[in-house]
Amino acid sequence: MDLLLLDLVIVLAAARLFGALARWLGQPPVIGEIVAGILLGPTLLGPLIGDELFGSEMRPPLQALANVGLVLFMFVVGLELDQKLVRGKGRIAVTVALGSTVVPFVLGCVLALAIAGEHVGGDKTLPFVLFMGAAMAATAFPVLARVLTDRGMQRITLGGLALASAAVIDVLAWTVLAVVVGIAGAGESEGQWKVLLALPYVLVMFLVVKPLLARLVPAYEQARRLTPGLLSLVLLGLIGSAWATEWMHVHFIFGAFVFGAVMPREGAERLNHEILERLEQLAVLLLLPMFFVVAGLNVNLRELDLSSLGTLSAILVVAIGGKLLGSYAAARTQRLPNRQSWALASLLNTRGLTEIVILTVGLQKGVLDDELYSLMVVMALVTTAMTGPLVRRIYPDRRVARDIAEAERAALGVTAAHRILVIVPDPPAEQAPLVGLTTTLALSRSPSEVVLGHLRPYPAGRLEVGSGLSSELAELAETLHDLEALAGSARERGSETRVVSRFSADVAGELPELAAGAQADLLVLPAGVPGYAAVRDGAVCRVVTVFLPVPKQAESGSEPGPVAVRYGSGDDAAAHVALTLAMLWNRPLIVTGGNRASALAQRLSKLGVAATAAAIPENALVVAADTGTTSEGTHLLVRTEQDPDPVDWAEAVSALRAPAPQL
């Protein structure tokens, strides 16, 4: 027991260290974790200390823990299998997926036939050939998803198409692998008939178990949290499903995958998110690193000779060439541009976690020998490590930024309406006063449109169990729900309102891009939002800022006070905003700031506006020209392209509508 605990300490420390090093080098952590296992195994440290620490008596308990981690991982893969990824891209995604699967699969089968005599016996030839084809055709959806989200490419057409294609490839790969494992299991002398139960098992899972699991959603909503009882039911079902497929001589990973696939989707975003959060603590920190390190421990590069290097070269040529050519050719048949087709092919060439899972199954089922397993693991590392640099070379950051801007402009469209973009800070549910103020400003012009923009930093400690997309999409769905509620209140007041929300790796850096892409006539920014200074001082907006603090008296529910404007500098933009709010809220207007302020008050009074030159009372909502200092409140920035002309106050007053509901 003491040696097992020591092994756990060493494995965890090595996994975290090399995983962090891989991330620092811009690679997925799984690469570092597998390399850690290779270094701890017979390749490097085995002759020194590895045989004592990770000898034959220690491998079974380590492998058992690794298998539990594999069960959790495959459950998450099934849980994150979302048909929304393919929606709207079905024809192209299926075509690219078929090209990316069929070509490397056929080439892998041809290669397997050429080397079968050196690695397998006659009774294993068929499953070996099919297995090599499946291994060559795999694409690691989780690693691909993380590569895309780290660069923000999931927001552009290319990224969405890559995710959709990889999702289809995932289904094809697991289906082929299930057939291969079933054929291999049928060759066993005992219990061959059990494999025939695989199809009835799948039907029961989707027709019986899936409706039963849907009852978890109302139970979760009633409890308002993931109770130990609910989590226990999920884990019991997961482990039971994994046991059932293992008993059928298929493999326990398929039971875990299918159980994740039949978990409820409709209205279950928060439930699934909490399940993943609970699993993360155990799976990410202990069991998954254990799985990848154990996978590396089974690699022995010391025994490779020149003939092995030749086989490795052939494997790399088939794996990389088959993926790139198959994906590229399929993309071109769908009229994708040349650069996008190559970038898509490079993205689908990543194998990572999925490949290691497939290879582990092959080793456990005796389809692969130790030498070929080691060579295939090297192929998985090479194809995964080359993806990021190759895609960055083919599709550099400037093209990604351009595509993101074009996507946002296309989403917002071109309109002749007076457009106001308001950046909604977190939490959106508490920003009703801000949106109400913006809607009031929009109602002063007709036609007008309000765009609720929201940039949210990526969640801290993002999930690494699978792609991590379920966690992020759950949070984004909750945010969109709150934003749509705000948009609904604006629409009730007669203002056309749209919502633009996304996660951002750099909120301050992307805010100017969002402001420019929206092409708004007015930008409303709460003070303290990251990137405010860059927008104010940059070319997007001129340095004319209106400061609108909401008084404490109004927040406490007392009678709203007047609108006050500091007009000492003669700032027409500030005066126009103050006049708009005063008229639409049916409040008096107070002007302060010296002789120019008095003159403005007299002029407005002649136009029928209740305006007086006086000191600002405490309960007033103050509008003032900002000199660049940031304080608590709301700031409105006027775009450079539309600098305001001197205000025609008579026209401004006559254009104002009837009083709107008070803020």
Side-chain angles (χ1 to χ4, degrees), residues 280-522:
E280 179 187 23
Q281 306 302 319
L282 180 64
V284 172
L285 296 180
L286 175 63
L287 298 179
L288 269 184
M290 181 68 63
F291 169 71
F292 294 121
V293 172
V294 170
L297 286 173
N298 292 323
V299 175
N300 188 359
L301 302 181
R302 280 178 173 269
E303 296 182 354
L304 302 184
D305 52 22
L306 290 179
S307 63
S308 300
L309 294 180
T311 304
L312 176 60
S313 300
I315 289 174
L316 289 173
V317 169
V318 169
I320 298 173
K323 269 291 180 182
L324 292 181
L325 295 178
S327 304
Y328 174 80
R332 292 294 287 166
T333 62
Q334 297 300 308
R335 303 178 184 271
L336 259 68
N338 184 64
R339 184 183 292 270
Q340 288 189 349
S341 297
W342 279 120
L344 180 60
S346 301
L347 286 166
L348 296 179
N349 186 48
T350 186
R351 286 175 172 85
L353 291 81
T354 304
E355 184 72 17
I356 299 301
V357 172
I358 292 176
L359 297 179
T360 301
V361 173
L363 185 64
Q364 292 175 351
K365 288 293 182 180
V367 179
L368 291 181
D369 60 16
D370 292 338
E371 178 188 357
L372 200 53
Y373 172 81
S374 299
L375 296 178
M376 294 293 285
V377 169
V378 173
M379 179 271 289
L381 292 176
V382 171
T383 54
T384 304
M386 66 183 286
T387 299
L390 184 60
V391 173
R392 195 174 296 273
R393 175 82 177 182
I394 297 173
Y395 220 79
D397 290 342
R398 66 178 183 277
R399 285 187 172 271
V400 175
R402 182 200 63 187
D403 288 355
I404 290 174
E406 290 180 355
E408 289 184 342
R409 281 195 293 269
L412 290 172
V414 178
T415 177
H418 181 74
R419 175 176 286 172
I420 300 180
L421 170 65
V422 52
I423 304 300
V424 181
D426 287 319
E430 299 178 5
Q431 306 306 322
L434 174 66
V435 175
L437 182 148
T438 305
T439 305
T440 300
L441 293 173
L443 293 175
S444 66
R445 299 282 295 272
S446 182
S448 63
E449 178 185 59
V450 173
V451 177
L452 305 183
H454 179 264
L455 296 177
R456 181 167 186 163
Y458 278 115
R462 288 178 288 170
L463 283 174
E464 301 173 29
V465 177
S467 69
L469 290 180
S470 290
S471 172
E472 293 167 7
L473 291 176
E475 294 194 22
L476 190 59
E478 183 178 8
T479 299
L480 284 172
H481 178 271
D482 294 338
L483 289 171
E484 284 296 339
L486 294 174
S489 64
R491 295 185 187 111
E492 289 177 358
R493 295 179 59 184
S495 173
E496 291 293 329
T497 308
R498 301 191 190 190
V499 172
V500 176
S501 179
R502 67 168 187 259
F503 281 109
S504 170
D506 180 14
V507 174
E510 293 184 18
L511 183 58
E513 298 176 9
L514 177 61
Q519 297 181 337
D521 301 291
L522 197 64

